[in-house]
Amino acid sequence: VRRASLPAGSVDGLSLVLVWAPKAARHHTDGSETIGANMSDLIQTVLIYALPVIFAITLHEAAHGYAALRLGDNTASVLGRVTLNPFPHIDLVGTILLPLLLYFSTSGAFLFGYAKPVPVRFDRLRHPKRDMVWVALAGPGANLLQALLWGVLFYVLSGSGITERFFIEMCKAGMLTNVVMFAFNLFPLPPLDGGRILVGVLPWRQAVLVSRVEPWGFFIVMALVLTGLISAWWMQPLMGATFEFLKFTLSPLAALLR
């Protein structure tokens, strides 16, 4: 099997994807007063999640580009994608318009979005097959680190006697957003990060076979999302394990600030 058979495009064909239903959006509407209250809840939820989502997107994408740069490919760096400025990573339709349209039209029951894929030439990496794994891991790794940092901030605020609901809820939103992105992007199907990792760790023949699924990967993922299979079989178990890991890691800080 020739090494050139592996894809040499973006590390994230789908980039990051967010699919979840915030609690504030799950109430039924009964009359104009309830509708107005629910709309207020929806707007408040958008404001609470705005900053965590922007950070999550920016650091996820920048981490891919930075890892690729360190491992030999400067494509993302040359195109200005190794940056903490969120604007180069934001897709007007996929990151802003589509999620907002779905959020308000479904009262928050369904949310889907994506960022601009990070361009990575895997053939320029010093060890393409092995380094592909590290480049793909960098994005979810950045999300896991952010979830941990939001948890630290939550305990610091709580321990300092700060009970302002907006900031406490923002910390919780930061943890949830990043855990969702961490778990979803690790799903082992190209073009998600987990698919890249799988291609990188499999033997060459099997790796090429898996990589050929990529043109249909988006549609397969969406079918699994809409049928609820990815939630039941992947998201819930992995998110549960991730929150347990965060709880265990943060337990010394929680005990100290009590």
Side-chain angles (χ1 to χ4, degrees), residues 44 46-49 163-171:
Q44 187 177 50
V46 169
L47 294 175
I48 288 171
Y49 275 85
T163 57
E164 170 59 45
R165 178 179 176 273
F166 182 82
F167 297 115
I168 297 299
E169 292 300 319
M170 182 179 288
C171 291

Side-chain angles (χ1 to χ4, degrees), residues 123-258:
D123 56 329
R124 291 183 178 177
L125 298 174
R126 285 189 285 273
H127 305 282
K129 193 166 181 295
R130 184 193 69 190
D131 292 347
M132 178 193 303
V133 175
W134 296 112
V135 173
L137 272 173
N143 291 128
L144 183 60
L145 178 60
Q146 287 179 82
L148 183 64
L149 293 177
W150 281 110
V152 169
L153 183 58
F154 171 80
Y155 282 117
V156 169
L157 291 177
S158 300
S160 302
I162 298 174
T163 57
E164 170 59 45
R165 178 179 176 273
F166 182 82
F167 297 115
I168 297 299
E169 292 300 319
M170 182 179 288
C171 291
K172 294 178 181 178
M175 293 186 71
L176 176 60
T177 298
N178 282 284
V179 170
V180 168
M181 289 172 56
F182 170 75
F184 191 88
N185 280 284
L186 283 180
F187 188 72
L189 185 73
L192 294 175
D193 295 326
R196 301 293 191 195
I197 294 167
L198 183 62
V199 169
V201 299
L202 285 174
W204 274 103
R205 187 176 299 276
Q206 289 78 9
V208 171
L209 291 175
V210 172
S211 70
R212 288 175 181 168
V213 176
E214 185 165 336
W216 302 278
F218 172 84
F219 303 103
I220 296 172
V221 169
M222 287 308 301
L224 293 173
V225 167
L226 294 174
T227 57
L229 294 177
I230 199 170
S231 175
W233 293 355
W234 183 262
M235 295 294 290
Q236 292 181 26
L238 185 52
M239 286 179 64
T242 304
F243 274 117
E244 286 299 318
F245 166 77
L246 292 172
K247 181 180 177 182
F248 174 78
T249 305
L250 292 167
S251 57
L253 178 63
L256 181 65
L257 294 176
R258 259 183 211 146

Side-chain angles (χ1 to χ4, degrees), residues 15-34:
S15 197
L16 61 91
V17 179
L18 307 178
V19 184
W20 85 94
K23 292 181 180 178
R26 294 178 184 170
H27 303 298
H28 297 289
T29 56
D30 242 348
S32 59
E33 290 184 5
T34 307

Side-chain angles (χ1 to χ4, degrees), residues 14-139:
L14 210 58
S15 197
L16 61 91
V17 179
L18 307 178
V19 184
W20 85 94
K23 292 181 180 178
R26 294 178 184 170
H27 303 298
H28 297 289
T29 56
D30 242 348
S32 59
E33 290 184 5
T34 307
I35 292 174
N38 283 344
M39 183 57 66
S40 176
D41 286 343
L42 289 174
I43 293 172
Q44 187 177 50
T45 301
V46 169
L47 294 175
I48 288 171
Y49 275 85
L51 192 61
V53 168
I54 289 172
F55 275 131
I57 290 172
T58 302
L59 293 177
H60 178 106
E61 302 299 344
H64 283 313
Y66 179 75
L69 179 63
R70 296 289 294 179
L71 294 169
D73 175 41
N74 68 345
T75 305
S77 178
V78 169
L79 295 175
R81 298 300 302 277
V82 185
T83 175
L84 297 182
N85 178 0
F87 292 104
H89 307 298
I90 290 175
D91 182 275
L92 177 61
V93 174
T95 314
I96 300 174
L97 298 181
L98 179 60
L100 286 177
L101 177 64
L102 289 173
Y103 186 74
F104 286 107
S105 63
T106 65
S107 294
F110 181 76
L111 183 60
F112 169 80
Y114 55 89
K116 290 180 182 177
V118 173
V120 176
R121 288 289 304 274
F122 296 119
D123 56 329
R124 291 183 178 177
L125 298 174
R126 285 189 285 273
H127 305 282
K129 193 166 181 295
R130 184 193 69 190
D131 292 347
M132 178 193 303
V133 175
W134 296 112
V135 173
L137 272 173

